Amino acid sequence: MVRSYFHLHLVSDSTGETLINVGRAAAAQYEGVSAIEHVYPLVRSGTQLERVINEIEQAPGIVLYTLVGHELTERLEEACRATGSPALSVLEPVHSLLQSYLGAHSTARPGAQHMLNAEYFKRIDAMNFTLAHDDGNLPVDLDEADVVLLGVSRTSKTPTAIYLANRGLKTANIPLVPGVPPPPVLETLRRALVVGLIASPERIVQIRQNRLLSLKADEDSPYVDRDAVANEIATSRRLFARNRWPVIDVTRRSIEETAATIVDLHREHRMKFIAT
């Protein structure tokens, strides 16, 4: 397949995270097409905007923006029309809908979603907890966690835990090692949601082989033996079933998809915990 490319300019008066997520999610729907991203965060003055416009003039393409200043918006749209670059305010349709429904007007506050409020500090606290409880560390206070992830090596426990922490969930992860029993405290947890992660033996072997290759380690090991890996996964399945812990197969799931499922499971678990 011949791949084509286009320039995608993302102009934001904040961090640009919203635009990056929206732009990538939309561009991913088009096979054979890739975006060359130009990201311009914290654009809050005319001088900064003129630098952005110069870049757009050098490489015209699609322009997505989140600018709350009226003058900046008008100048950017004017420049886009001059270069033939389609431009869209990503948040404007949402603002219009909210204003119509709420009967109120928004206040222009660049980066308002990143204010240092209680939710922000909750996420920082969750991240600190998660990093301190990575890979089986400090299991004695697991019941302070919101989520505990279990799984054999290379089931994406750490990246999933960090993603959940960024959503404000204190997440610990514990590896299941052959011949090593899991911490007994797991079976007495009440507050924390325990989730088992599994993947196909083929997928686990592939990831482990790449891991050993990067470390220049000996590949003649049960760590990458298909039958040994299959036995590890079967043992973990029995553990999860015995304790009635929910199981997620991450073989074909992205970290984001796995985390979204866990967030839903945690919401249900929390409601049951509150009810009891």
Side-chain angles (χ1 to χ4, degrees):
M1 179 186 296
V2 178
R3 182 166 293 276
S4 60
Y5 297 86
F6 70 98
H7 293 281
L8 178 62
H9 298 273
L10 307 173
V11 188
S12 174
D13 52 21
S14 185
T15 63
E17 293 176 23
T18 299
L19 286 174
I20 292 171
N21 291 334
V22 170
R24 289 178 180 175
Q29 307 306 312
Y30 298 88
E31 293 187 12
V33 180
S34 293
I36 301 173
E37 293 180 356
H38 306 263
V39 183
Y40 314 98
L42 302 174
V43 178
R44 298 180 180 179
S45 72
T47 301
Q48 292 170 326
L49 182 60
E50 290 305 321
R51 297 194 191 102
V52 172
I53 291 173
N54 182 62
E55 293 287 333
I56 296 174
E57 290 173 344
Q58 298 299 316
I62 294 176
V63 178
L64 301 180
Y65 66 89
T66 53
L67 298 175
V68 297
H70 183 66
E71 292 183 3
L72 294 180
T73 298
E74 283 193 338
R75 173 66 184 117
L76 177 61
E77 291 182 343
E78 176 189 0
C80 288
R81 286 192 295 269
T83 60
S85 300
L88 175 68
S89 171
V90 170
L91 293 180
E92 183 58 34
V94 181
H95 281 313
S96 297
L97 179 63
L98 287 173
Q99 288 178 8
S100 175
Y101 184 79
L102 298 174
H105 292 283
S106 62
T107 302
R109 293 186 299 164
Q113 73 271 33
H114 298 293
M115 291 176 63
L116 302 184
N117 54 18
E119 188 65 26
Y120 174 84
F121 288 108
K122 177 184 177 183
R123 288 193 290 117
I124 296 299
D125 190 34
M127 187 65 73
N128 288 334
F129 180 94
T130 299
L131 293 175
H133 292 75
D134 181 42
D135 204 29
N137 289 323
L138 303 176
V140 292
D141 59 345
L142 281 184
D143 210 32
E144 293 183 17
D146 296 305
V147 176
V148 177
L149 302 180
L150 297 180
V152 303
S153 173
R154 319 323 292 179
T155 47
S156 303
K157 296 183 298 298
T158 294
T160 302
I162 292 175
Y163 191 94
L164 289 170
N166 197 46
R167 295 287 299 272
L169 294 178
K170 293 181 179 179
T171 308
N173 79 83
I174 297 177
L176 297 178
V177 181
V180 179
V185 68
L186 285 172
E187 300 187 13
T188 64
L189 295 181
R190 185 168 177 267
R191 178 184 183 277
L193 168 69
V194 181
V195 178
L197 302 182
I198 61 169
S200 69
E202 293 76 18
R203 179 60 175 162
I204 295 295
V205 169
Q206 179 187 32
I207 298 174
R208 289 183 179 183
Q209 285 175 334
N210 291 336
R211 174 66 172 168
L212 291 181
L213 185 62
S214 68
L215 296 175
K216 297 181 181 180
D218 183 11
E219 295 187 43
D220 186 17
S221 164
Y223 184 67
V224 292
D225 179 79
R226 200 270 179 200
D227 291 336
V229 171
N231 184 60
E232 283 185 57
I233 296 171
T235 301
S236 70
R237 280 184 177 275
R238 288 193 292 271
L239 172 68
F240 303 152
R242 185 169 66 249
N243 291 280
R244 298 182 179 179
W245 292 326
V247 179
I248 300 175
D249 188 334
V250 302
T251 304
R252 294 180 178 84
R253 286 177 182 256
S254 66
I255 298 299
E256 294 83 356
E257 290 172 322
T258 300
T261 300
I262 293 172
V263 169
D264 283 340
L265 290 171
H266 178 262
R267 186 180 299 113
E268 296 176 6
H269 175 78
R270 187 166 174 268
M271 294 305 297
K272 292 178 182 177
F273 179 74
I274 292 174
T276 57

